[in-house]
Amino acid sequence: KAGVTQTPRYLIKTRGQQVTLSCSPISGHRSVSWYQQTPGQGLQFLFEYFSETQRNKGNFPGRFSGRQFSNSRSEMNVSTLELGDSALYLCASSLRGAAEAFFGQGTRLTVV
Amino acid sequence: AQSVTQLDSQVPVFEEAPVELRCNYSSSVSVYLFWYVQYPNQGLQLLLKYLSGSTLVKGINGFEAEFNKSQTSFHLRKPSVHISDTAEYFCAVSANLIQGAQKLVFGQGTRLTINP
């Protein structure tokens, strides 16, 4: 059974640009969550999608957005990139009603 | 709202020695508790979880944790560590919500270093 797949693994962008990260959940998982990991702030929840609907949102500015497609794949978008957006972005998927989340390997975004 | 405090940012231990990584949480609702491990340049791997039932939870790689509701703690233990256990360990909590909504709140992490 394939795990959670995040693409790309590494990304370098310039300040002011926008970026889209992709997450393919484990087959059958319909819940997808996104987290940002930085040395200073640690792991912080961005948002969670279930059946194409955002169910939970963390405390991030509106430049951070996401969506989920009918096949449960999810994308997150960051517009007008800032240096502080440099981080490891992790995606996690889970079954409906399950407490356990499975994480992908992450996308490391560097903003220069 | 939930919060998690990992009491040690770094823990150095000699190989084959026992280790305990401490985690305290706060929440006004019942919660699920987790320990994850992260190796360099990797995502998070679930070590163990407490959902309900027995307060002593056994996980992968010989780790176990004990849920203590009165002390709001969920400490992680291993009786004998190996060099390969060198990694960062995260304690996390999620509210026991309907529909299993996923919103994990993580501690700041404990870097476990095993010395030969």
Side-chain angles (χ1 to χ4, degrees), chain B residues 41-78:
Chain B
N41 297 316
Q42 298 292 316
L44 300 175
Q45 180 183 10
L46 181 68
L47 277 177
L48 47 79
K49 61 186 182 233
Y50 173 78
L51 305 183
S52 65
S54 172
T55 57
L56 183 63
V57 180
K58 294 191 183 298
I60 63 171
N61 302 342
F63 284 94
E64 63 181 34
E66 185 155 19
F67 169 59
N68 188 319
K69 189 174 182 179
S70 63
Q71 298 188 3
T72 59
S73 68
F74 190 55
H75 300 333
L76 180 71
R77 302 185 184 101
K78 185 169 183 177

Side-chain angles (χ1 to χ4, degrees), chain A residues 35 37 94 98-101 105, chain B residues 36 38 42 46 49 102 104:
Chain A
Y35 295 83
Q37 184 178 23
S94 62
E100 182 175 343
Q105 292 200 306
Chain B
Y36 283 88
Q38 186 177 37
Q42 298 292 316
L46 181 68
K49 61 186 182 233
Q102 291 299 324
L104 290 166

Side-chain angles (χ1 to χ4, degrees), chain B residues 3-69:
Chain B
S3 67
V4 177
T5 302
Q6 290 184 241
L7 296 156
D8 306 293
S9 60
Q10 296 186 65
V11 173
V13 180
F14 285 108
E15 195 172 16
E16 297 183 9
V19 70
E20 178 180 80
L21 306 185
R22 297 179 294 168
C23 172
N24 285 91
Y25 70 94
S26 68
S27 176
S28 57
V29 299
S30 61
V31 294
Y32 300 135
L33 293 157
F34 307 86
W35 275 98
Y36 283 88
V37 61
Q38 186 177 37
Y39 300 102
N41 297 316
Q42 298 292 316
L44 300 175
Q45 180 183 10
L46 181 68
L47 277 177
L48 47 79
K49 61 186 182 233
Y50 173 78
L51 305 183
S52 65
S54 172
T55 57
L56 183 63
V57 180
K58 294 191 183 298
I60 63 171
N61 302 342
F63 284 94
E64 63 181 34
E66 185 155 19
F67 169 59
N68 188 319
K69 189 174 182 179

Side-chain angles (χ1 to χ4, degrees), chain A residues 21-73:
Chain A
L21 312 182
S22 179
C23 172
S24 293
I26 292 171
S27 177
H29 287 195
R30 293 167 62 190
S31 171
V32 174
S33 301
W34 289 89
Y35 295 83
Q36 181 196 64
Q37 184 178 23
T38 60
Q41 299 298 315
L43 280 152
Q44 293 186 288
F45 172 81
L46 280 156
F47 28 66
E48 184 227 352
Y49 286 87
F50 181 83
S51 291
E52 303 178 62
T53 301
Q54 187 181 86
R55 289 201 298 187
N56 266 308
K57 189 177 191 308
N59 190 23
F60 278 81
R63 299 185 298 107
F64 292 81
S65 63
R67 60 178 174 167
Q68 187 179 34
F69 301 95
S70 58
N71 62 358
S72 294
R73 190 177 71 84

